[in-house]
Amino acid sequence: MDYLSSNKILIVNLESGEITEDELDDELVSNRIGGVGVTSFLYDTYKDKDPIVLGTGLLTGTLFPGSALGIISAKSPKTGEIAHSPFTLKAGMELKFTGFDYVVVLGQAGKPVFLWLHDGVADIQDASEIWGSDVWKTTDHIRRGMGDDLIQTLAIGPAAESGSELAQICINYWGSGDCWGFGKLFGEKNLKAIALRGMGLLEISEPEDFVDQCFEIFENINKGSFQGKAGIQDIFSAMGENDASEWLLPSVHRNSACYNTPYPTNTFLYLDEDPKTVAEPAAPEPGFLVTDPCALLELKRCGLSAKEAGSVMRACARYGINPTAVAEFCARSGEKSMENIEKSLKDLKGTISIPDCGRFSCWAPGKPLFSNFDVSDTSEYGVWWKRRQAVAYIFGVHPIFANMAPELSEELMLQMVNKGTGLELDQEILDKVIEDVCN
Amino acid sequence: MRIDVDALKCIGCMACEMACGYHKDDAFALLSSCIVVYRAREKKDYFGVVIKEEESLIIARPEGLEIKRIGVAEEPDSSGQKREADASAKPMLLREPCDLCSGMKYGPMCVKICPVGAISIVEGGE
Ligand code: SF4
Ligand code: SF4
């Protein structure tokens, strides 16, 4: 695969230490397109060896709006079946530029390790020193050790090391869309983190056409219904949760976007500094970047203030535990004290409900945002949502942004992938891949 | 004419960085961009944009714009510390400077692609 791709599938066997590479052949892309279409194929191929498969879409890392997505596909400890988890911020883009389109991690390492992917090179590195550390210390350690603050990490904390099904893989210091307990799988493999950094280059089959059209799409989108809106507070409003929006606003420092995503879906809360601070704060760790609107909403419903909810989410991300699961335990027990919730994280055990979101993560709110996508009947939301998520996960588009930009139609994504790769993918192939990854 | 950035408006999406990379390399890559989002102070939520010009670095911080002449020794600030833009700004010195996307039919690509209108062209500069 010569275009929008590094043409490499990396296979890492943690048990033997063997690292091999396969080509990403055109035939596989012609049949499975990319993203979750290919990760689920690779999962099936290596099914007997406990695979964790990472991947990106053909549009990930390009100028196509919202092209921020990386995906983890594996067997969920919660359902026992294959599921897919999104990773965004700058990590999806960074994986694409490491020089590997897909990464298959097999087996169990004999001692704690982390996987270092950079500039077409993959190294298994010793992580004994950071085993037991929380997620923040892990990311700090890896960045300091490599002398590069822009390394993106997919890391676990003590929750995953202790075998908890509530464990979450975090991105750098923040929560992720891992609602499937994939953190536990990292822990079982003795895999503390995957560190990503790349200075790769993606060739484009018809560069001028592709970029012309990206600009056109940008212009259309920027006239769209989310214009003038920003952050999780406005996502709350779009979800019909206006009081949550007001509840959150006083703690908001800034909103920020995942790679090339025109809507900033992330909101940084200053917890130990005045949120109005503009200059660089003196405190090294003044707050928390909320990337998961649904988890924050659940913590609000438990009766916490926005600051307390932000603090609990920060504690969850350090410990590497899914904040939605924590909120569910709090709702059950009626616990409303932030201190008690934070202290209880290491003792949380038991099962939590599995949301009806098929194989995709319930991280993306379950309805259209800012626009109705011509889905007026709320009973159709479930079917619409699963198809929309499947499409986003196949092409590499931010799953929350996909739900607010009807301009990004399936037809348009196919057209852009064809321009970018020179392939001739059509709706029939897309329908087949969607059906396969949804069932 | 030069590029100006309102870093308080910026949402750190890196679209400008990739657009500039495309202008330099005719492919998607970040290695040659002369506009870069500095984002290494992630835990503080402190980010902005750096632009490499022929003779200066334009550092758009949330609290305002700073122009540093390349090769001129920095003055320490009132605390005696030399302020640095960021680790991510350092490799900038080796890159080709901004040419305002000369030869591109789009005009300055970073201006055109910024989703929040944080980048503009102003009179003056080099
Ligand atoms: S005007 Fe062009 S060359 Fe200058 S920073 Fe913007 S994209 Fe780069
Ligand atoms: S495109 Fe605009 S919002 Fe995005 S990083 Fe550049 S200046 Fe900031």
Side-chain angles (χ1 to χ4, degrees), chain B residues 4-25:
Chain B
D4 189 30
V5 180
D6 180 346
L8 259 189
K9 273 193 189 169
C10 171
I11 54 171
C13 70
M14 296 176 69
C16 53
E17 198 171 327
M18 188 56 81
C20 191
Y22 170 79
H23 162 52
K24 302 280 164 128
D25 285 329

Side-chain angles (χ1 to χ4, degrees), chain A residues 260-297:
Chain A
N260 191 30
T261 303
Y263 183 96
T265 57
N266 312 300
T267 293
F268 204 103
L269 308 182
Y270 265 9
L271 307 172
D272 314 318
E273 282 275 351
D274 179 356
K276 294 195 177 68
T277 306
V278 171
E280 185 176 351
E285 294 169 356
F288 187 70
L289 182 72
V290 181
T291 55
D292 184 343
C294 299
L296 187 63
L297 198 57

Side-chain angles (χ1 to χ4, degrees), chain A residues 334-404:
Chain A
E335 182 59 68
K336 287 184 169 52
S337 151
M338 175 189 84
E339 287 83 6
N340 289 348
I341 297 170
E342 290 182 2
K343 266 190 236 147
S344 72
L345 294 183
K346 61 181 185 319
D347 302 315
L348 289 184
K349 281 191 182 61
T351 50
I352 58 156
S353 54
I354 298 166
D356 178 24
C357 49
R359 300 192 188 279
F360 307 105
S361 167
C362 51
W363 176 72
K367 59 195 286 195
L369 301 168
F370 305 117
S371 171
N372 69 10
F373 281 78
D374 293 327
V375 189
S376 45
D377 187 344
T378 54
S379 67
E380 291 168 12
Y381 280 172
V383 174
W384 168 84
W385 183 90
K386 276 179 201 154
R387 185 171 179 102
R388 193 70 187 150
Q389 293 300 289
V391 169
Y393 283 51
I394 288 167
F395 288 104
V397 174
H398 193 297
I400 298 180
F401 182 66
N403 288 0
M404 56 176 83

Side-chain angles (χ1 to χ4, degrees), chain A residues 140 212 253-254 270 280, chain B residues 7 13 41 43-45 106:
Chain A
D140 282 343
D212 279 357
H253 179 240
R254 283 176 85 179
Y270 265 9
E280 185 176 351
Chain B
C13 70
R41 293 170 213 189
K43 280 194 280 183
K44 295 184 171 190
D45 194 34
Y106 314 98

Side-chain angles (χ1 to χ4, degrees), chain A residues 186-205:
Chain A
F186 268 39
E188 286 170 352
K189 288 185 179 300
N190 273 327
L191 179 62
K192 184 65 177 168
I194 300 180
L196 309 165
R197 185 80 172 113
M199 283 296 172
L201 181 142
L202 303 174
E203 301 278 3
I204 314 155
S205 171

Side-chain angles (χ1 to χ4, degrees), chain A residues 34-254:
Chain A
V36 81
V38 174
T39 57
S40 51
F41 170 83
L42 292 170
Y43 173 85
D44 282 341
T45 308
Y46 294 96
K47 208 171 177 175
D48 301 337
K49 296 178 183 162
D50 288 334
I52 297 176
V53 186
L54 274 71
T56 49
L58 286 165
L59 296 175
T60 307
T62 68
L63 278 180
F64 186 84
S67 52
L69 186 65
I71 304 124
I72 305 174
S73 300
K75 182 159 91 178
S76 165
K78 279 164 73 175
T79 63
E81 291 182 10
I82 183 175
H84 314 289
S85 170
F87 59 93
T88 52
L89 295 172
K90 309 299 187 287
M93 175 274 292
E94 204 72 58
L95 170 59
K96 184 91 175 218
F97 285 98
T98 58
F100 303 107
D101 299 306
Y102 298 93
V103 181
V104 183
V105 184
L106 307 171
Q108 183 188 28
K111 58 172 188 176
V113 295
F114 74 91
L115 185 58
W116 171 218
L117 307 179
H118 59 108
D119 305 309
V121 180
D123 290 319
I124 300 171
Q125 302 249 344
D126 181 43
S128 311
E129 229 183 301
I130 39 173
W131 195 254
S133 298
D134 72 24
V135 168
W136 287 40
K137 286 195 180 116
T138 300
T139 296
D140 282 343
H141 178 94
I142 292 173
R143 287 182 172 179
R144 210 177 311 120
M146 301 295 172
D148 187 344
D149 285 333
L150 302 185
I151 289 171
Q152 305 294 297
T153 63
L154 303 171
I156 58 164
E161 291 175 20
S162 72
S164 169
E165 284 185 10
L166 312 177
Q168 181 175 74
I169 296 168
C170 294
I171 308 170
N172 302 343
Y173 308 101
W174 324 115
S176 77
D178 173 17
C179 66
W180 297 116
F182 286 166
K184 182 184 179 195
L185 303 183
F186 268 39
E188 286 170 352
K189 288 185 179 300
N190 273 327
L191 179 62
K192 184 65 177 168
I194 300 180
L196 309 165
R197 185 80 172 113
M199 283 296 172
L201 181 142
L202 303 174
E203 301 278 3
I204 314 155
S205 171
E206 299 169 44
E208 207 173 313
D209 267 12
F210 189 95
V211 171
D212 279 357
Q213 189 140 6
C214 286
F215 276 121
E216 216 173 279
I217 301 166
F218 255 111
E219 269 166 32
N220 275 340
I221 277 193
N222 283 341
K223 289 181 221 137
S225 46
F226 63 80
Q227 264 319 299
K229 311 278 195 309
I232 286 187
Q233 58 280 15
D234 286 339
I235 291 178
F236 281 160
S237 299
M239 291 166 75
E241 303 281 350
N242 288 324
D243 58 333
S245 174
E246 282 161 30
W247 166 85
L248 186 64
L249 259 175
S251 304
V252 171
H253 179 240
R254 283 176 85 179

